[in-house]
Structure formats: C-alpha cells, structure tokens
Amino acid sequence: MAHKELLARHRAVMPKWLALYYDEPIEIASAGGRRVTDREGTTYLDFFAGILTNAIGYDVAEISDAIRSQLDTGVLHSSTLYLIKNQVELAEKVAELSGIPDAKVFFTNSGTEANETALMLATTARRSEQVLALRNSYHGRAFATIAITGNRGWSASALSPIKVSWVHGGYRYRSPFKAFSDADYIKACVDDLREIIETTTAGDVACMIAEPIQGVGGFTSPPDGLFRAFKDVLDEYGILFISDEVQTGWGRTGEHFWGIQAHDVVPDAMTFAKGLGNGLAIGGVVARGDLMDTINANSISTFGGNPVSTAGALATVNYLLDHDLQANAAKLGSRLLGGLRELADKHPVIGDVRGKGLMVGVEFVGPEGEPNPGAASTVLAESKALGLLVGKGGLYGNVIRLAPPMTLTEDELEEALGILAQAVEKA
C-alpha cells in the first residue's frame, strides 16, 4: 500500500511525462552492495544501477566516509567564486585520465548540462551553429541536447538553437549497412559522413558529438575503428570531435577506461557524468585547454563541482582505480555476454545481444525480425517479479539494458542470468 499511496501523490504533483518503470512503480528505500530494498520490504538484485549511475554499488564505506568528512566541515556549498580543493584535485585526476593534451576540466550537475557546455565551447570556437550527430543518439533533456538527440521518443521539441545533420553508424543491427563486413560498414558510414558534410552543411561545421555506445538507444555500437575513420574526415574540415562518455566512462566497457579508446581516438573534448559520483549529482567536460578557454564572457557554476559532490566523486574514482573495477567489468562482462548469447540461441525472440563490459543490450524481435517492445516489457516485469531490476530502451522500446554496479560478483552474475532465463521464457 505504501507504493500505491505514493504513486497517487506523485501523479498529482509531478508531470505526466516523467517516466516511471512498471505498472506498479516502486520506491527504493534502502540498499547495500548490489541489492536494493523497496519501501514494502522486497529486495532486488540491481542490474541497472540508477541508469548506470551507482557505478560502485550502494553503501560503500570509502565513499560515504569522504562525504561525511566534507559534511563535518559545515561547508556544503561555496560556488566556483571560491577555491574548492576537492574540485581542483578531482579535475587534476580527470585531466590526467582523459589522455587529452593540456586538458582542462569544467564541472556541471548532469550529463545534459555537460553536453550543453561542450556544444557551447565548440560553436564558440568554430563560430558556427552547425553540428553533426548520430541517428538513434541521446544526449540530454535541455534545449540544444534535445536537438542533437536522434531518437524521436526523446525529442520533445523541433525547435533548436543549432542546425543538426544526421550521420549513420551508431545502430548497426537495423542499419541499411547491417549485412556489410566491419570494413565495408565503416567505409559506407564514412562515405555517408563526407556526403552529409558536402550536401547538408555550409562546410564550417562546429563539431560532431557521438556516444561510443549509444545508451538510451539500446546499448548499440559500431565496429571498433569507425570513430577513428570519422575523425580523419573531421580533421580535413577542421571539425571538432566530442565524445559523450556519460554512460561509457570510468572503465564500464572493460577493455578501456573511456569508450572512445576502442577506436584509437583522442577527442577534442569528452563529456561525463553518471558513474563519476556514484549517485551524487555531478558531470562535466574535459577538453583541450585552448578549447576550454575559448569562452570570452564571464561564467560560473553555482552548484557544479561543489565540495560535497567532488569529495564523493574523488573517492569514487580512487575506489574504482584501487580495486581495478575496469578489469572486473571486462571479466564479468564477457561471461554476461556469453550467457545471454546462449540464451539467444534457444529463444528466437532475442534478435541481438551486444555490448562491452558491464554495458549489455538484449534486443527483442518478432517472427519477421520486427521490433518487439511487448517482449521487452514482459522481461522487464518478469525480472522484477523474480527479484532482478533491469532497464529498457532502444529506438523502439524493445531492448533490455543491463548495467549493474562494477563491483558485481560472479555469484550475483549467475543469479541474474538464471532470472533472465526464466523471464525470457515468458516473453
């Protein structure tokens, strides 16, 4: 009854477009490790982690202690008008980890705000409002980031402060180039990029922004090397490249610390958020120093990089590095992909299993290969009934998204695979 009452209150005062999972939504009241307990006392293994945000899991002593230590000072906020030691130390670490030469860092409160900032930097530096984005992308909920979101289900407005041209490449499974080899797929997408620049822009494009793995789009990704080939073309025209690492950053993909590194590319800027704070509101941009310094007006960030969020984020980064969680994501991600592909061999309703590390998508299809959002919704609900929380997304709402905390154990992984096997039986 607690959930039913809260849902009624939610619907009375919150906007109807604010999405909720499940026919009977739940409130998460407590958590520890990789498990959460709802207000009515049911415990679940969490395989979506607050949309990849609780990257280290729940109730991690080292992170909680760092936050409490900052709280004990009495300083929760000062604004960027004052020096903030935690912020500087975190910026130094992010700049070093980025691999971007002479990098500088600006902190925000979310991935949306980070991408808005990156667009401001690029359009100012290039004196152009033209932007290249990928079809099926998602970059946020603000005015410009909705404009570069290539997914109709998340585009609330056609109005835009920028001019966008759309490029192929991010969603291979339903691409017109699906049947091509990796090399031919990359060539076709590069040819498309060049034609897009030549025919739909005035040439002086500000930037391309891309997710190495499309998150909301259903954990889709191109063959490794596509963005290297794109970057070569972009460099010919002086076009900047921004990698949206909001979901792929901090070692989640296993094989690399940043998703774009799978393509052997050092971008001009990267945006980040989600897992950095392990639940705290923090995001940001790391970019070449000359690009970051291109803004010639006064600016601050009232809440971005505040003492509490940067204390927690610094502890989060140190924890994932000290415990080599990237290696754990690689190891368990391989097992997760393998187990799901075994399941796909038995169930034609699964059309595709894809991803890297602990960032895996399962696309559900009908008899003719058409998108099957009903099957994905069934798996979402059945998994919950069996004690597992998963995510859902994709252009057609037919993809189950799996992104557990990176501290996941082998036993928990096998437990999740067992539950998913039962849930798929009902799809």
Side-chain angles (χ1 to χ4, degrees):
M1 291 299 294
H3 290 152
K4 186 175 182 180
E5 178 186 351
L6 185 59
L7 177 60
R9 293 167 60 191
H10 178 283
R11 286 177 171 162
V13 297
M14 309 294 281
K16 65 180 182 180
W17 43 260
L18 191 61
L20 287 168
Y21 272 172
Y22 312 117
D23 291 336
E24 298 179 354
I26 62 174
E27 178 192 7
I28 294 173
S30 62
R34 274 70 53 197
R35 297 185 191 274
V36 301
T37 301
D38 70 22
R39 181 63 66 190
E40 296 180 355
T42 303
T43 297
Y44 308 89
L45 179 60
D46 187 3
F47 255 56
F48 203 37
I51 319 178
L52 296 82
T53 300
N54 301 309
I56 314 299
Y58 300 90
D59 196 23
V60 180
E62 290 88 340
I63 299 172
S64 298
D65 288 346
I67 296 168
R68 290 190 192 100
S69 179
Q70 182 60 43
L71 294 177
D72 287 345
T73 69
V75 181
L76 278 66
H77 170 74
S78 63
S79 91
T80 52
L81 292 173
Y82 302 93
L83 293 170
I84 302 172
K85 184 179 180 182
N86 294 337
Q87 185 185 79
V88 173
E89 291 181 352
L90 181 61
E92 290 170 341
K93 187 160 294 260
V94 172
E96 179 183 1
L97 290 167
S98 74
I100 295 174
D102 303 316
K104 290 189 175 183
V105 181
F106 177 77
F107 291 110
T108 65
N109 302 288
S110 69
T112 291
E113 190 183 340
N115 284 329
E116 288 276 335
T117 302
L119 290 175
M120 180 175 66
L121 294 173
T123 54
T124 300
R126 291 277 292 159
R127 309 303 297 171
S128 167
E129 81 280 34
Q130 299 177 94
V131 173
L132 302 169
L134 267 63
R135 304 175 188 204
N136 196 48
S137 59
Y138 176 84
H139 296 285
R141 195 202 65 256
F143 199 32
T145 50
I146 283 177
I148 55 170
T149 289
N151 183 324
R152 185 176 179 183
W154 293 90
S155 298
S157 173
L159 299 174
S160 172
I162 54 179
K163 297 177 181 177
V164 184
S165 294
W166 301 100
V167 180
H168 276 296
Y171 185 18
R172 188 177 188 177
Y173 183 67
R174 295 191 182 278
S175 166
F177 314 136
K178 174 183 178 179
F180 292 8
S181 68
D182 285 358
D184 287 343
Y185 183 92
I186 291 173
K187 182 179 184 303
C189 292
V190 169
D191 289 345
D192 174 67
L193 169 62
R194 193 179 293 278
E195 183 176 18
I196 288 292
I197 294 171
E198 294 291 344
T199 63
T200 72
T201 79
D204 56 337
V205 179
C207 66
M208 168 180 275
I209 185 168
E211 304 158 274
I213 298 176
Q214 294 181 330
V216 171
F219 288 170
T220 68
S221 60
D224 290 352
L226 175 70
F227 292 116
R228 170 72 272 164
F230 274 6
K231 184 70 162 58
D232 291 342
V233 174
L234 299 176
D235 286 348
E236 291 179 29
Y237 294 88
I239 300 170
L240 301 170
F241 180 64
I242 301 166
S243 182
D244 179 343
E245 300 278 350
V246 169
Q247 297 195 30
T248 48
W250 319 111
R252 175 164 289 280
T253 65
E255 60 185 21
H256 297 98
F257 197 77
W258 306 101
I260 198 62
Q261 290 173 327
H263 299 264
D264 191 27
V265 170
V266 177
D268 298 290
M270 294 191 293
T271 58
F272 54 83
K274 291 194 182 291
L276 172 60
N278 200 48
L280 293 167
I282 188 168
V285 182
V286 55
R288 294 193 334 257
D290 63 314
L291 177 57
M292 186 66 78
D293 289 338
T294 196
I295 303 298
N296 56 18
N298 291 326
S299 192
I300 63 167
S301 182
T302 301
F303 295 107
N306 69 75
V308 176
S309 66
T310 49
L314 190 58
T316 298
V317 174
N318 287 334
Y319 189 97
L320 70 87
L321 293 172
D322 291 344
H323 292 80
D324 199 5
L325 296 187
Q326 180 181 335
N328 193 54
K331 176 184 175 183
L332 296 190
S334 178
R335 170 63 187 130
L336 179 59
L337 281 166
L340 291 169
R341 284 171 178 157
E342 291 172 10
L343 195 59
D345 289 340
K346 302 174 184 176
H347 298 281
V349 73
I350 298 178
D352 192 32
V353 175
R354 56 183 177 249
K356 292 183 178 184
L358 292 176
M359 189 174 182
V360 175
V362 183
E363 180 155 349
F364 288 85
V365 300
E368 304 300 321
E370 71 276 14
N372 190 344
S377 294
T378 296
V379 172
L380 182 81
E382 291 294 330
S383 294
K384 172 179 171 283
L386 294 167
L388 179 70
L389 301 183
V390 299
K392 186 165 74 76
L395 181 61
Y396 306 100
N398 65 323
V399 179
I400 289 295
R401 300 167 66 198
L402 305 171
M406 293 165 61
T407 50
L408 185 72
T409 68
E410 292 184 25
D411 287 346
E412 290 164 342
L413 173 58
E414 296 303 327
E415 178 185 347
L417 284 172
I419 291 174
L420 287 167
Q422 294 180 67
V424 171
E425 290 279 357
K426 303 288 183 68

